[in-house]
Amino acid sequence: MLDIAVAYNRFKFLGEEFLTWLWFVMDQDPTILRKADPDLTSLEIGDRIVLEKRHKKAVERITIKGENAGLEEAMLALQKGALVTELNLVYRSAEQKWQFTLKGESLNLSSMKTPKTAAPESPENMEGVVLEKIFLYDKILQFLEKLYKTFIRYRLSDHWQNRDVALIKKWRRSYS
């Protein structure tokens, strides 16, 4: 049995590949996203993306921040072999908007902003407000779980090396 620290370090690349694949899917084939959640209106990169390229003894980290920041530098980093390690995402469904950051190394969510909920009209209504907030958090967690399962199915298939990797490389080069 693998020690948890060894397993964590051995497989943390999967989260980074997932975030890179997610960016590719958002840009090239959003139907995959809608299969994971038919209520999805759009999924966009938010105000932060972090990429890393590991060299033998060093790590080169590129952080792109800002509401209207261009992704040209991020794409250049991808072309040079970097992977996405952190991605701020904006999820929209109907009139509602969620914004959160997903970290590739651990697939942890942070900085979650859910749609506004109504203030409780009385202390007796507090339970309903709390349950609504839980539902809003769970919606994103369910969506990400379905997307990650989809990614793992792709990643483990025979098509990954034969087709998908080539499509992702072509996509990276298309921004030149």
Side-chain angles (χ1 to χ4, degrees):
M1 186 164 141
L2 283 177
D3 179 72
I4 192 77
V6 172
Y8 180 82
N9 286 320
R10 183 179 294 172
F11 298 109
K12 70 181 182 180
F13 72 92
L14 281 172
E16 296 167 359
E17 284 187 4
F18 170 64
L19 292 182
T20 305
W21 173 83
L22 182 56
W23 183 10
F24 165 74
V25 166
M26 288 167 37
D27 195 49
Q28 297 294 303
D29 193 1
T31 57
I32 291 173
L33 304 173
R34 287 189 185 80
K35 286 178 187 173
D37 186 354
D39 296 336
L40 174 76
T41 305
S42 71
L43 184 66
E44 305 155 0
I45 295 176
D47 59 7
R48 180 178 164 88
I49 183 171
V50 180
L51 299 100
E52 287 184 3
K53 181 176 181 188
R54 289 180 179 80
H55 304 282
K56 289 181 182 173
K57 294 184 181 181
V59 175
E60 183 180 350
R61 180 174 290 129
I62 297 93
T63 302
I64 313 294
K65 288 182 179 181
E67 292 224 7
N68 295 318
L71 297 175
E72 298 83 17
E73 287 182 47
M75 191 52 73
L76 183 60
L78 276 181
Q79 290 171 357
K80 291 182 177 183
L83 291 173
V84 179
T85 59
E86 192 174 314
L87 192 57
N88 182 268
L89 294 167
V90 178
Y91 171 100
R92 295 179 199 277
S93 175
E95 299 297 319
Q96 296 180 312
K97 172 185 165 185
W98 288 254
Q99 187 162 357
F100 56 92
T101 298
L102 186 57
K103 298 185 184 230
E105 179 179 56
S106 59
L107 295 177
N108 282 342
L109 281 175
S110 63
S111 307
M112 172 80 82
K113 294 178 189 167
T114 62
K116 299 274 188 231
T117 56
E121 295 173 9
S122 67
E124 294 82 34
N125 295 14
M126 184 59 88
E127 182 179 345
V129 172
V130 170
L131 289 174
E132 182 180 7
K133 204 62 153 170
I134 290 170
F135 169 79
L136 293 171
Y137 276 91
D138 190 54
K139 182 164 181 63
I140 295 301
L141 293 173
Q142 294 291 326
F143 173 65
L144 291 173
E145 183 178 335
K146 287 177 186 174
L147 276 178
Y148 191 71
K149 285 179 180 178
T150 300
F151 165 73
I152 292 298
R153 276 194 298 276
Y154 278 107
R155 183 69 175 80
L156 294 175
S157 76
D158 294 335
H159 295 295
W160 181 257
Q161 284 300 326
N162 300 334
R163 182 193 66 205
D164 297 334
V165 170
L167 289 172
I168 293 170
K169 285 180 179 180
K170 182 180 175 184
W171 166 71
R172 290 187 328 198
R173 287 189 305 269
S174 71
Y175 276 87
S176 316

